[in-house]
Amino acid sequence: MDLWQWFWFFFWIFAYVAYLMVLIYIVIDIFRDHSLNGWLKAVWIVFLVFLPWLTGLVYLIARGRGMAERSARKQVEYETHTAEEYRQISFANPADEIAKAQALRDQGVISDGEFEAIKAKALGSKF
């Protein structure tokens, strides 16, 4: 194979993978949309199976704006959920963290230096 044949081969592989990603994204959006009832979702899926190019194009034209809005709304939900998880894991209550470190120091698990480092970190001061 010469260089141009390789070029076209990789171009068509890229186009096929991009097409599959668009179809998967459309299917995800169909099931994410709560305004569609089950029968309309089934109709969209059937048309995507039997006429994928045409149905994908029609879906993107007809429902593209709603697709973008649902995606943006879901992104905000993900960010909010992630931020809440980080707050639960982080040093949310310095008194609790210091009490845990004190218990570990009393048990002999950590040294006095490690206790002071944890305490400084919980209080937010530089050491």
Side-chain angles (χ1 to χ4, degrees), residues 6-21:
W6 279 107
F7 173 78
W8 283 113
F9 174 74
F10 284 114
F11 172 78
W12 287 114
I13 293 294
F14 172 78
Y16 182 71
V17 170
Y19 167 70
L20 287 178
M21 290 177 67

Side-chain angles (χ1 to χ4, degrees), residues 29-31 33-41 44 59 63:
D29 186 67
I30 287 171
F31 288 104
D33 187 6
H34 298 294
S35 66
L36 287 176
N37 64 24
W39 288 106
L40 285 175
K41 290 178 183 184
W44 276 113
Y59 189 87
R63 301 184 51 84

Side-chain angles (χ1 to χ4, degrees), residues 56-69:
L57 186 62
V58 168
Y59 189 87
L60 290 175
I61 292 170
R63 301 184 51 84
R65 175 171 288 189
M67 193 173 179
E69 290 169 356

